[in-house]
Amino acid sequence: MAGTLYLIATPIGNLEDMTYRAVRLLGEVDLIAAEDTRNSIKLLNHFDIKTPMTSYHEHNKYEKAQVLVGKLLEGMNIAVITDAGTPGISDPGEEITKQCYEAGIKVVPVPGACAAVNALIASGQATRRFAFEAFLPMDKKERQAVLAELARETRTMVVYEAPHRLKKTLQELLGVLGNRSVTVCREITKKHETFWKTTLQEASDFYAQEEPKGECILVIEGLSREAIEKEAQQKWEAMGIEEHLQMYLDQGIDKKEAMKLVAKDRGISKRDVYAASI
């Protein structure tokens, strides 16, 4: 009988965020696949966990996942842990999970700390709808394409960034998104944890003078529907109301309906359309 793959969340800073279930399962499984065994050994030692480890990281995720799936098929129970937080979120855990489903192996998530979710809930930004972007692509062409997509995103955006790239990223976001509201989250659950709700302009100006420290998460306001409507209305300003009305009449739409469409397009009343068309 095949074993089970456990995706076990580990603390992102404060060891007190480790769950009882996570400690128990890490001690019970046959093998722990860790993103960095040198880092994870400190966690295991802290909780007196003696389970053997093997490395499973970005550079061996395809081949090593195949090896681990083979062990699971033989009946071993294996836990996957990342350096910090929930495995499978922007890390190699995604690949082994896919392979387990293809092989018919049971996958069990063990909830715990997740940097993206904690940044979001403490950001003061809208939380009902959000888009998780993780780290923006390093490739210039791909990065520009992603930024262009984010410019039209109406959901709150969550972006990871390393301190040495934060200045450049803030400048890029400001240039593409405009001066949106942003919460800069640093060192979550650690001693110097900070949440700074500000604007992209203020954050860019600040870090142009101050050297960023610690891993950062940017929680950015999405494009408002009011802004989208205003932008759409502004497109019609180059066309006169009579010309706008005639455009719909030429499509065979009756005048009453055409006036409604013009009013909706321009964000004005039908009375204003009528007054301009007589």
Side-chain angles (χ1 to χ4, degrees):
M1 184 177 177
T4 300
L5 179 76
Y6 294 95
L7 301 173
I8 299 181
T10 56
I12 55 178
N14 193 323
L15 291 178
E16 292 181 0
D17 292 332
M18 191 72 167
T19 69
Y20 291 114
R21 185 183 179 203
V23 172
R24 176 178 62 79
L25 284 171
L26 286 174
E28 291 177 354
V29 294
D30 301 299
L31 182 66
I32 297 171
E35 191 171 12
D36 187 338
T37 55
R38 296 166 300 179
N39 179 67
S40 295
I41 192 64
K42 301 172 187 175
L43 177 73
L44 299 191
N45 287 341
H46 181 83
F47 291 102
D48 195 29
I49 296 168
K50 307 299 184 183
T51 306
M53 279 193 296
T54 186
S55 64
Y56 176 60
H57 49 72
E58 185 64 27
H59 303 294
N60 72 355
K61 64 182 181 181
Y62 299 109
E63 300 82 3
K64 191 59 174 283
Q66 292 174 353
V67 173
L68 294 172
V69 166
K71 293 181 181 297
L72 285 158
L73 289 171
E74 292 171 0
M76 290 184 69
N77 292 318
I78 298 176
V80 171
I81 60 174
T82 184
D83 281 349
T86 301
I89 301 295
S90 190
D91 75 17
E94 177 184 6
E95 177 59 30
I96 191 171
T97 300
K98 287 180 181 178
Q99 292 195 25
C100 281
Y101 271 93
E102 291 170 0
I105 294 167
K106 185 178 180 181
V107 177
V108 175
V110 182
C114 177
V117 171
N118 283 281
L120 178 67
I121 62 174
S123 68
Q125 306 290 349
T127 61
R128 190 177 71 85
R129 300 170 64 248
F130 66 95
F132 175 64
E133 276 299 324
F135 290 94
L136 294 173
M138 296 301 293
D139 178 78
K140 186 176 180 181
K141 188 174 181 180
E142 186 181 359
R143 189 180 182 92
Q144 289 175 341
V146 170
L147 286 169
E149 290 175 2
L150 293 182
R152 308 300 302 168
E153 179 59 69
T154 58
R155 295 170 294 181
T156 299
M157 295 162 278
V158 181
V159 176
Y160 287 171
E161 194 50 281
H164 65 281
R165 292 195 299 263
L166 183 63
K167 292 181 184 181
K168 179 183 177 183
T169 296
L170 284 169
Q171 291 168 358
E172 287 178 315
L173 289 168
L174 176 62
V176 175
L177 306 183
N179 194 22
R180 305 267 189 96
S181 173
V182 62
T183 304
V184 181
C185 311
R186 295 178 53 255
E187 299 287 86
I188 297 177
T189 79
K190 300 176 185 176
K191 182 179 180 180
H192 299 293
E193 174 184 82
T194 57
F195 297 92
W196 178 31
K197 189 176 183 186
T198 180
T199 64
L200 285 172
Q201 182 69 68
E202 289 179 352
S204 183
D205 291 346
F206 177 81
Y207 284 112
Q209 305 297 324
E210 297 287 334
E211 198 62 33
K213 295 179 181 179
E215 294 297 317
C216 297
I217 300 177
L218 304 175
V219 184
I220 310 161
E221 174 189 23
L223 183 64
S224 70
R225 300 201 178 278
E226 290 79 7
I228 293 173
E229 290 174 4
K230 186 176 181 180
E231 182 182 333
Q233 291 165 6
Q234 288 173 339
K235 292 179 180 178
W236 297 106
E237 290 181 358
M239 181 186 289
I241 292 179
E242 288 187 53
E243 185 183 359
H244 193 166
L245 180 62
Q246 190 61 48
M247 179 190 76
Y248 284 121
L249 293 174
D250 290 344
Q251 295 174 27
I253 299 173
D254 69 76
K255 189 171 183 179
K256 185 177 181 181
E257 184 62 28
M259 290 176 67
K260 286 182 181 179
L261 292 172
V262 172
K264 182 179 179 182
D265 288 344
R266 304 178 83 95
I268 60 178
S269 69
K270 287 187 292 182
R271 182 178 299 175
D272 291 334
V273 177
Y274 178 77
S277 63
I278 58 175

